[in-house]
Amino acid sequence: MEALVASAVGIMTAAGIFLILRRRTFPVILGLSLITYAVNVFLFATGRLALDAPAVLNKYEEVAYTDPLPQALVLTAIVISFGMTAVIVMIALSAYLSSKDDHIDMSAHDSVDATGEDA
């Protein structure tokens, strides 16, 4: 089970980095989302992968339990990543509407050094 989760985290991270390195804004947003999903799965896996284990201790008997802290962290991370994805989508949409292109490119015309002269 741990090998499956570890490989899933690795594949999602690799795919996210691959998408972040693209030259369009939509794949970059998808790549950031994949990396946040990978981090969420990693955080969830830190709470011990146990099947059919309660998340709360039972004071009357000794049972294996799952740590509830990573579950709370993942829930918080999901809410934060949803909000940040919405902000990034709005920034990308406004950039697309202002330039009529979603290509991420720095040309010689766009780059200016600190003295104000063209590079």
Side-chain angles (χ1 to χ4, degrees):
M1 181 79 157
E2 288 86 5
L4 179 66
V5 171
S7 62
V9 168
I11 289 170
M12 281 192 291
T13 303
I17 290 172
F18 176 77
L19 287 173
I20 284 177
L21 296 176
R22 301 292 94 201
R23 290 186 172 225
R24 301 276 181 188
T25 55
F26 186 68
V28 171
I29 294 169
L30 287 179
L32 286 172
S33 297
L34 272 177
I35 287 180
T36 58
Y37 295 152
V39 169
N40 289 343
V41 171
F42 176 74
L43 284 175
F44 190 73
T46 59
R48 245 183 294 137
L49 297 173
L51 297 175
D52 299 327
V56 181
L57 286 173
N58 188 353
K59 67 179 180 178
Y60 299 111
E61 61 183 79
E62 293 282 328
V63 294
Y65 68 96
T66 305
D67 190 13
L69 183 63
Q71 297 173 11
L73 287 174
V74 167
L75 184 61
T76 305
I78 288 170
V79 172
I80 291 171
S81 66
F82 179 74
M84 288 306 298
T85 302
V87 168
I88 291 172
V89 166
M90 292 307 296
I91 291 172
L93 183 64
S94 68
Y96 172 73
L97 291 175
S98 67
S99 68
K100 304 293 186 221
D101 190 20
D102 70 338
H103 195 74
I104 300 171
D105 187 28
M106 289 294 291
S107 63
H109 175 64
D110 294 336
S111 62
V112 176
D113 63 8
T115 61
E117 299 173 6
D118 286 338

